[in-house]
Each structure stands twice: as structure tokens, then as C-alpha cells.
Amino acid sequence: MSGNGEIQWSFSQVKGTLDDDVTEADIISCVEFNNDGELLATGDKGGRVVIFQRDQSSKNSLPRRGEYNVYSTFQSHEPEFDYLKSLEIEEKINKIRWLKRRNPAHFLLSTNDKTIKLWKVSERDKRVEGYNLKEETGQLRDPSLLTALRVPVMRPMELMVEASPRRIFANAHTYHINSISVNSDQETYLSADDLRINLWHLEITDQSFSILYLNIHIVDIKPTNMEELTEVITAAEFHPVECNIFVYSSSKGTIRLCDMRQAALCDQHAKMFEEPEDPTNRSFFSEIISSISDVKFSNSGRYMISRDYLSVKVWDLHMDTKPVESYQVHEYLRSKLCSLYENDCIFDKFECCWNGSDSNVMTGSYNNFFRMFDRNSKRDVTLEASREIAKPKMVLKPRKVCTGGKRKKDEISVDCLDFNKKILHTTWHPTDNIIAVAATNNLYIFQDKF
């Protein structure tokens, strides 16, 4: 990932306006490649989903380039109001998950705090002409004036990409949905909120894509007395291969692995992954910073990564006593925890992701920095998504943060970091060295230099 024989990253594209006057609705809230990396979807706080398609000429060029063009834009969620609880429900898209492609159309799930929607995205490049009972404009004809019958014909037309909602899953979550995950069987998916995880069933028939309204709680950690509540669910994900296994993380820094073959209600976990706390680092903020904001299985299914406030940990599913690897994301912020608590940044939820071969891990930080860790060489690098590097094929220079003493030329002082600029959402192409990073309202796409 640095200059010594490993990946060097270069700028490819930036999507989104470069204006300073960014509205809250324009801020990107999730980003996700589909299963083959040909499509890249973003959701924003305004409830919109934008899908980018890989440019075929850039893919086939030598060297290959990772460039994407806008494919489809649609309004996925609208603001709602819960009259029973007198609560406004934001339109913000919390998560997008793609289903594997089984026909010419694409399917994806998107969710806000309360409602999950299944979207079908399909192309249309032909239209029917020669109707008998209506004009080409759509106006109905008088049947009594028809003197001959015509055979309608298909004519080519300009390509249209249509997004249509196929099913809406609503009224199943009391608390805010933080995760959705499609099972490897492509028939079920889970959705998780603070206290419950629901299992939904998708049924595919020969005629159409229809959904059975089967929804059960597979995890329910809500205590009888809410005053006894000690932790909440923060993220959940299905295993990429074993359709009966899923994990969920908690605000206490634990990850529970559940096997749906053992019982219908998975309140009793099969394994619990937890790292013993280092007494020397114990402080007032220990519980807050140990909360896991994201958990992701490796593509092979052997490992998983978890992201807490200061670090990324790699866990082996065969060893639940401690992580096999631990990477410090921004340890230099430990001395800043008090001010980060006061400005609420300590509650930021950073995501993490694997590369296609499970050899590298990526996650975000502040000042529009994002971090990469090479599991083989144990090297790490800090890169920045900024307008200054928005030049074609420009190689990204590693950034360094200094905590005190004399600052070198290429370093930035920890006191100069901008905590309003943060990389919360990142995603890695399933097979190629192409990454997408969401920085406020802009989507940066980077690729390897060669």
C-alpha cells in the first residue's frame, strides 16, 4: 500500500458537487458495491439512492481504469411521521445491500430508521407501437371508428433505467434499524435495531419476484424492565457461506455468533468474541470507545473484522478469546477523548471493509483521512480524500499525524485535524483494487496506480 512494492493508490474520480454550500440532505450516508463490482450505490440523508455503473471503455482499456458513470437516481424514502409516538422518521438511507443477480434486472434493499424497501432496477430500450385501442400519445380511440386491426411492433428507443419498489417491509421495528444483511441462500435477510434482529423471507418464483411476509424475531435482548438495559445491538451480518450463521455486535464491545439450527430464537449465542480490557487504559470513556460500530465477515468466511472507536480488530471464528490481529486507527486521539466527548464525535460510527482477497482492511478517520492495513506485511497507510488530489491519475501521498514536538514537512498536527470532515463509509470492489470513499457529500473513487 506504500511505495515499497505494494499498492500505490491514485485518484480516479470524484462524484458530487464541489460547492461549499452543502445541504444536510446531500450528505452520503452509505456506499456499497454490488456482487460483481459493476454497480456502485450510494444513499444520502435526503432519502435518495444514486447508482453508478462501471464505464466499459475504462474497464477494457490498458491499463484498466476504475471509472463509473451515473446509471440511475431515485427517491427511495420520504420523511414520515409516527402519529402514535409523535415522532418524525427521517428519510436518511442507513444501509443498502445488493442481492445477487439472477436475471437482467438488479435488486437491492434500502432502509431508513423504520422501513426496508426492495427495489428492482431494470433497463428498457424498446417500446411498443401500433396499438389498436389508443393513439401513440396514449389517448383512447373510439372503438366504433376502428376499421382494421394492427399487430403491435417493438421499436428501439433510448435506454431507460427504471427503479420500481417491489415490496415494502414496514412496522416491524420499534427502534432504529442499524443493519440489513442478505443471506447466502439469497432467500432470507435480517434486519437489526437496538434490541431486536428480525428474519425476513424472500421467495423467488418463475413469474415474478415476490416476497412472503414471514418476519420473526431471531434475537430479542429487550429486558422486561428497561431500567435493566445494559447494552444495545450495533450491527449484524450473515455469514457469506453458511446460511445458518450470523453475528451481531454490541455497545459493550462483544460479538455474538449465532447458529439458527440450534433454536428458533437465538438469544443463546454459540460463541462470544470479546477482548479482555487492558487495565492500564481504563478511563471514563472506556465503555464508549469499546462499542463496536461495524462488523464484517471476510469473503472466505473464516475471519471477521470489528471496528470500535480507536481500532480495527481481526477475529478468527475458531478463536473467541481474543482477536488474532489488532490495528490502531487513530491512537493519537486517545488524549483528545474529553473534547471528542463534548462535541459528540466520540459517538461517530465508522464502518470497515475487506478487499476481495481478505489481505487488506480499510476504515475511515477524521480530516477526510482513511486507513488501510496490509495483513501480510503488517504495514499500514493513511490517505486523504480531498479536492487537492482531484486530478486524473494523481498518486496519493501517505499522510502522517504528529502528536507533539517538531512537526515534519509532510505531517499534520493532531491539533489541526478537522473533526467535521470524517470518512464514515468506505467500500472495496469485490475483485479489483478500486475503492469508494464517502466524504460528506462527495464520493471519491481511487484505484491502484497500475
Side-chain angles (χ1 to χ4, degrees):
M1 287 175 302
S2 58
N4 36 18
E6 298 181 38
I7 300 170
Q8 275 192 295
W9 292 94
S10 64
F11 171 80
S12 180
Q13 287 174 298
V14 59
K15 303 290 185 181
T17 57
L18 294 178
D19 304 327
D20 285 330
D21 99 39
V22 180
T23 65
E24 186 77 7
D26 294 329
I27 296 173
I28 296 171
S29 53
C30 58
V31 54
E32 188 80 5
F33 278 109
N34 75 336
N35 298 91
D36 60 9
E38 291 301 298
L39 298 179
L40 171 62
T42 64
D44 64 25
K45 289 190 175 182
R48 294 178 297 261
V49 171
V50 181
I51 301 174
F52 302 93
Q53 183 181 48
R54 190 163 183 186
D55 184 278
Q56 287 305 306
S57 61
S58 77
K59 183 181 177 181
N60 299 328
S61 67
L62 287 173
R64 294 173 77 182
R65 303 193 312 276
E67 293 176 3
Y68 285 76
N69 303 317
V70 175
Y71 180 65
S72 176
T73 304
F74 58 93
Q75 188 72 31
S76 176
H77 287 71
E78 302 278 358
E80 301 169 50
F81 191 80
D82 186 334
Y83 291 96
L84 290 174
K85 296 178 181 172
S86 297
L87 282 175
E88 283 187 32
I89 301 168
E90 290 183 347
E91 63 270 41
K92 173 193 169 191
I93 309 292
N94 291 342
K95 284 285 186 291
I96 289 172
R97 290 291 179 264
W98 292 91
L99 278 69
K100 283 183 180 168
R101 194 174 185 185
R102 295 188 172 182
N103 57 40
H106 297 273
F107 290 88
L108 62 87
L109 290 164
S110 64
T111 184
N112 66 351
D113 286 340
K114 298 287 183 182
T115 305
I116 305 159
K117 294 184 181 182
L118 174 74
W119 290 90
K120 177 183 179 182
V121 182
S122 54
E123 295 182 355
R124 194 151 63 92
D125 61 358
K126 290 183 175 64
R127 68 167 180 266
V128 179
E129 286 184 5
Y131 289 103
N132 288 290
L133 296 177
K134 59 183 180 182
E135 305 286 351
E136 303 303 337
T137 58
Q139 187 177 353
L140 289 173
R141 287 178 179 164
D142 183 349
S144 62
L145 300 177
L146 288 176
T147 56
L149 289 176
R150 295 187 294 175
V151 178
V153 292
M154 303 289 284
R155 302 274 188 215
M157 59 175 277
E158 192 176 334
L159 178 69
M160 277 181 61
V161 181
E162 298 174 319
S164 53
R166 298 309 300 267
R167 183 67 74 193
I168 296 173
F169 303 87
N171 308 317
H173 283 277
T174 308
Y175 308 97
H176 291 177
I177 298 169
N178 57 47
S179 302
I180 49 176
S181 178
V182 181
N183 201 344
S184 59
D185 63 13
Q186 294 293 298
E187 291 183 1
T188 53
Y189 77 91
L190 61 77
S191 57
D193 65 23
D194 290 346
L195 299 179
R196 290 194 178 107
I197 300 176
N198 291 346
L199 179 69
W200 303 85
H201 192 276
L202 300 91
E203 177 123 307
I204 304 171
T205 66
D206 293 337
Q207 279 73 37
S208 62
F209 201 101
S210 61
I211 302 272
L212 289 178
Y213 257 107
L214 174 59
N215 166 33
I216 56 172
H217 296 321
I218 48 172
V219 173
D220 188 349
I221 65 168
K222 185 179 180 182
T224 311
N225 180 2
M226 284 295 276
E227 289 180 5
E228 297 170 5
L229 182 69
T230 58
E231 63 181 329
V232 294
I233 297 166
T234 55
E237 188 179 58
F238 266 123
H239 191 279
V241 183
E242 305 291 339
C243 62
N244 51 288
I245 291 174
F246 68 93
V247 293
Y248 68 92
S249 57
S250 84
S251 56
K252 271 194 165 180
T254 62
I255 304 169
R256 291 175 174 87
L257 183 142
C258 301
D259 189 336
M260 293 190 292
R261 294 173 300 187
Q262 292 183 341
L265 189 64
C266 297
D267 285 353
Q268 299 300 315
H269 53 268
K271 281 186 178 181
M272 185 164 82
F273 300 83
E274 185 176 19
E275 184 176 32
E277 189 187 8
D278 181 356
T280 59
N281 280 335
R282 180 76 192 164
S283 73
F284 169 77
F285 306 106
S286 293
E287 196 166 313
I288 301 172
I289 63 173
S290 67
S291 175
I292 294 173
S293 56
D294 196 17
V295 60
K296 292 266 172 56
F297 277 109
S298 64
N299 297 288
S300 67
R302 171 69 189 269
Y303 301 95
M304 57 184 175
I305 46 172
S306 64
R307 171 72 207 261
D308 56 43
Y309 190 66
L310 293 178
S311 64
V312 172
K313 296 181 174 73
V314 180
W315 303 84
D316 187 328
L317 263 60
H318 298 171
M319 190 173 83
D320 54 8
T321 51
K322 62 178 181 179
V324 289
E325 296 157 34
S326 191
Y327 301 104
Q328 300 304 321
V329 178
H330 39 216
E331 183 65 20
Y332 47 77
L333 293 182
R334 194 175 286 276
S335 61
K336 300 279 181 188
L337 292 178
C338 192
S339 57
L340 290 163
Y341 178 79
E342 288 170 0
N343 64 16
D344 281 348
C345 283
I346 202 168
F347 302 107
D348 285 334
K349 293 175 171 54
F350 292 95
E351 295 174 5
C352 52
C353 65
W354 297 87
N355 71 336
S357 62
D358 298 336
S359 61
N360 286 266
V361 173
M362 175 170 62
T363 191
S365 181
Y366 294 104
N367 208 69
N368 279 359
F369 288 170
F370 57 99
R371 301 267 285 140
M372 289 180 171
F373 305 95
D374 188 316
R375 297 181 59 213
N376 298 322
S377 67
K378 304 302 178 192
R379 291 195 183 96
D380 62 87
V381 67
T382 302
L383 301 172
E384 182 181 7
S386 71
R387 297 179 192 179
E388 283 69 41
I389 53 93
K391 297 180 182 70
K393 300 180 183 177
M394 184 167 179
V395 176
L396 274 62
K397 289 181 181 175
R399 301 300 308 267
K400 282 191 170 59
V401 178
C402 71
T403 51
K406 195 171 181 182
R407 186 165 61 91
K408 294 178 184 173
K409 183 186 173 185
D410 294 331
E411 291 182 337
I412 181 171
S413 167
V414 67
D415 298 317
C416 298
L417 296 174
D418 188 341
F419 294 107
N420 292 318
K421 292 179 177 178
K422 54 192 88 169
I423 304 286
L424 300 176
H425 316 288
T426 60
T427 184
W428 203 309
H429 191 284
T431 54
D432 295 350
N433 279 323
I434 301 171
I435 55 173
V437 169
T440 319
N441 66 316
N442 292 314
L443 180 71
Y444 288 86
I445 299 172
F446 303 107
Q447 66 176 78
D448 54 357
K449 184 183 173 186
F450 305 106

